[in-house]
Amino acid sequence: MTEQLDFASRRELFLHALGFERVRGDQIGEIAGQAVAKTFPKGSTIFHQDEPCRYFYVVARGIVKVEFCSAGGTCVTYLLAEKGEPLNLVGPFTGLPRMMSATALEASVLLLVERDWFVRFAFRNPELVTGIIQILGRAVDSANNRLIDMMEKRVQERVIKILHVLNRKFGDRLAFTSSEIAELAGTTTESVLRCLGALRERGIIRSGRGELWIKEPVRLERFQDEAFWV
Amino acid sequence: MTEQLDFASRRELFLHALGFERVRGDQIGEIAGQAVAKTFPKGSTIFHQDEPCRYFYVVARGIVKVEFCSAGGTCVTYLLAEKGEPLNLVGPFTGLPRMMSATALEASVLLLVERDWFVRFAFRNPELVTGIIQILGRAVDSANNRLIDMMEKRVQERVIKILHVLNRKFGDRLAFTSSEIAELAGTTTESVLRCLGALRERGIIRSGRGELWIKEPVRLERFQDEAFWV
DNA sequence: CGAGTGTTTGATAGCCTTCAACTGGAGTGG
DNA sequence: CCACTCCAGTTGAAGGCTATCAAACACTCG
């Protein structure tokens, strides 16, 4: 199901895409010309773990979850990508399968660029390469920070931190289930629910089936500090 | 303290350095010509957290620990680099400080390349860029794997896994203290000690002050599986 | 209306950190 | 050469956090 997304929209998207900030205008036009839009219904798989990389993907609309799963079945969410965020920065260069899979959390539109073409494009745009390396550096830092949080913070604090991060990125209404939040905080659904219950009692959030609202972002932040001092 | 390491040795090092595998011979010669060797005594700091990046570093001799520390004081070891391994792949491109610091675990010699020069060099060697992106991809995968291990494996299994990885990389004699292993396994010194005690009782390892020997690598691996099924 | 998914809450067990005390060896300074 | 200090290792006990299991309940979608 290939949706028509006109050239101007694709160009606009790449102009503000993460990692493409400093790429020259004519080059943006070139990659926009090569990109093809494709829609994915809610819950569908965009690419799979252990599947060789064929395309470079950028989110044009919707939210895509990229997750990392072990043989044992445990999964951690690596990325929640929205408009302008690339899904796979490494795959195109190696062509090899990675340990990640991507699914659409809501009906989404992605831009696809043929892998070979993308790599050649990157090599003649140093600004893009710098952008990619920068993003990968952030990814490494983020993963290490989560590792440290797993060690020194308790479940409550981790959940609150996740809510805070989600709030900054997606606003006051968060359309995530408790198990999705658990996968981000590195804990179980039940523990998340208990934590949400406590926050709801204090009037900091409001929660419903598959969505929750942050009512008092400031108190959320403060609550995190409080927890830290207990 | 700048040690003279002759051109041939520096060239030999870059030839086999991680990420440089496919770089053309004449280019290897060029970067070897630019590199300066510097020795660091055991325990000394090579670069510090929050300090802007000035050089690209490759280990020529010794072992260097790169670690990631939180404000709370918890540290995780990100990398144990030996001969031929680069310390900082991201820093040179951004110039910004990262959250990592590097210290020499034993007396070590590093090759330093001026950051600006290195970046220009990388941009005219796509093979190197591909290598760098590949290594960063591995780093992301590794961090995510450790995250999953923290969730689904118990301390024992994590420690054994670390011993196994160290054994593959450094051989049968491991010159690490328990707290260094703890920093790798994401646990406390005491828990590592208890685990080492159990392995020693079974004759799988032998341990002394600041070093330990893997006597039966195969049983170590099997023990890991055993633990998995308990 | 039934099924399935997401939410809620309680009870329990157990892993692991934390705290504490002690040992032994290496290195240092007198 | 000796004494002292400090670090690394060792072991025990206690307690808390959280995963796990279990049982309902509510809402949505077919």
Side-chain angles (χ1 to χ4, degrees):
Chain A
M1 42 165 80
T2 302
E3 163 173 321
Q4 273 326 331
L5 200 65
D6 64 12
F7 177 80
S9 313
R10 299 201 304 265
R11 186 171 191 289
E12 184 63 18
L13 194 87
F14 276 109
L15 254 182
H16 300 104
L18 197 62
F20 289 76
E21 294 86 355
R22 296 171 185 277
V23 177
R24 292 206 325 267
D26 61 316
Q27 292 291 301
I28 292 287
E30 220 179 288
I31 194 171
Q34 284 287 324
V36 175
K38 196 169 167 190
T39 69
F40 290 86
K42 177 175 179 171
S44 62
T45 301
I46 291 153
F47 59 80
H48 225 262
Q49 191 166 235
D50 302 328
E51 156 187 319
C53 176
R54 293 187 52 198
Y55 303 101
F56 167 70
Y57 298 88
V58 180
V59 178
R61 196 156 52 82
I63 298 180
V64 173
K65 173 175 76 173
V66 182
E67 63 184 354
F68 194 98
C69 298
S70 76
T74 315
C75 294
V76 295
T77 299
Y78 165 69
L79 174 68
L80 288 173
E82 58 178 351
K83 183 179 173 182
E85 290 187 89
L87 297 188
N88 57 343
L89 260 13
V90 178
F93 287 89
T94 67
L96 300 174
R98 307 256 343 265
M99 305 186 62
M100 319 264 195
S101 48
T103 61
L105 286 191
E106 45 183 65
S108 302
V109 181
L110 299 208
L111 292 188
L112 281 63
V113 180
E114 205 76 58
R115 146 175 137 70
D116 301 333
W117 193 92
F118 174 74
V119 172
R120 268 178 280 124
F121 177 79
F123 283 150
R124 63 174 188 271
N125 286 282
E127 307 82 7
L128 176 57
V129 169
T130 303
I132 290 174
I133 289 175
Q134 221 161 333
I135 294 170
L136 289 177
R138 261 221 304 272
V140 172
D141 290 353
S142 163
N144 281 319
N145 268 317
R146 286 173 74 176
L147 212 43
I148 283 186
D149 283 354
M150 285 295 287
M151 295 173 56
E152 70 178 4
K153 295 204 204 313
R154 292 191 294 244
V155 167
Q156 246 197 36
E157 304 173 67
R158 298 206 302 270
V159 170
I160 292 172
K161 187 168 181 176
I162 291 297
L163 290 182
H164 190 241
V165 170
L166 290 177
N167 186 22
R168 272 208 320 251
K169 182 159 183 173
F170 297 106
D172 286 346
R173 179 181 169 277
L174 303 176
F176 301 101
T177 67
S178 297
S179 54
E180 280 162 351
I181 293 175
E183 221 169 86
L184 283 160
T187 180
T188 60
T189 314
E190 292 95 326
S191 292
V192 170
L193 255 353
R194 277 181 240 271
C195 179
L196 292 187
L199 291 173
R200 198 178 334 109
E201 270 179 16
R202 290 159 205 253
I204 299 178
I205 66 166
R206 194 155 61 85
S207 67
R209 188 188 177 81
E211 54 187 352
L212 62 90
W213 296 262
I214 310 290
K215 290 171 66 181
E216 309 206 23
V218 185
R219 277 185 69 199
L220 190 65
E221 214 165 341
R222 208 182 316 142
F223 195 76
Q224 192 180 357
D225 291 342
E226 280 169 24
F228 194 85
W229 289 110
V230 163
Chain B
M1 39 165 86
T2 300
E3 164 173 321
Q4 273 326 330
L5 201 64
D6 64 11
F7 178 78
S9 313
R10 299 200 305 265
R11 186 173 191 288
E12 184 64 18
L13 193 89
F14 276 110
L15 253 181
H16 300 105
L18 196 63
F20 289 76
E21 295 86 353
R22 296 170 185 279
V23 177
R24 292 206 325 267
D26 62 314
Q27 292 292 299
I28 292 288
E30 218 178 289
I31 194 171
Q34 285 287 325
V36 175
K38 197 170 168 191
T39 69
F40 291 86
K42 178 174 179 173
S44 63
T45 301
I46 292 154
F47 59 81
H48 225 262
Q49 190 166 235
D50 303 327
E51 156 186 319
C53 175
R54 293 187 51 198
Y55 303 101
F56 166 70
Y57 298 88
V58 180
V59 178
R61 197 156 52 82
I63 298 181
V64 173
K65 173 174 77 172
V66 182
E67 64 184 355
F68 193 99
C69 299
S70 77
T74 315
C75 293
V76 295
T77 300
Y78 165 69
L79 174 68
L80 289 173
E82 58 178 351
K83 183 179 173 183
E85 291 186 87
L87 296 188
N88 57 342
L89 260 12
V90 178
F93 287 90
T94 67
L96 301 173
R98 308 257 341 267
M99 306 184 62
M100 318 263 194
S101 48
T103 60
L105 287 191
E106 45 183 66
S108 303
V109 181
L110 299 208
L111 292 188
L112 281 63
V113 180
E114 204 77 57
R115 147 176 136 69
D116 301 332
W117 193 92
F118 175 75
V119 171
R120 270 179 279 122
F121 176 79
F123 283 150
R124 62 175 188 270
N125 287 281
E127 308 82 8
L128 176 57
V129 169
T130 303
I132 291 173
I133 290 175
Q134 220 160 332
I135 294 170
L136 290 176
R138 260 219 304 272
V140 171
D141 289 353
S142 163
N144 281 318
N145 267 318
R146 285 172 75 177
L147 211 44
I148 284 186
D149 283 355
M150 286 294 287
M151 296 172 56
E152 71 177 3
K153 295 208 206 309
R154 292 189 291 243
V155 168
Q156 246 198 34
E157 304 174 65
R158 298 205 303 270
V159 171
I160 292 173
K161 187 169 181 174
I162 292 297
L163 290 183
H164 190 240
V165 170
L166 291 177
N167 186 22
R168 272 207 320 252
K169 182 159 184 174
F170 298 105
D172 286 346
R173 180 180 168 279
L174 303 176
F176 301 101
T177 66
S178 297
S179 54
E180 280 162 352
I181 293 175
E183 222 169 86
L184 283 159
T187 179
T188 61
T189 313
E190 292 95 327
S191 292
V192 169
L193 254 353
R194 277 180 241 272
C195 181
L196 293 185
L199 291 173
R200 197 179 332 110
E201 270 180 16
R202 290 159 205 253
I204 299 178
I205 67 167
R206 195 155 61 85
S207 67
R209 188 188 178 79
E211 55 187 350
L212 63 90
W213 296 263
I214 310 290
K215 290 171 65 180
E216 310 205 21
V218 185
R219 276 183 72 198
L220 189 66
E221 213 165 341
R222 208 183 315 143
F223 196 76
Q224 192 179 358
D225 293 340
E226 280 169 27
F228 195 85
W229 290 110
V230 163

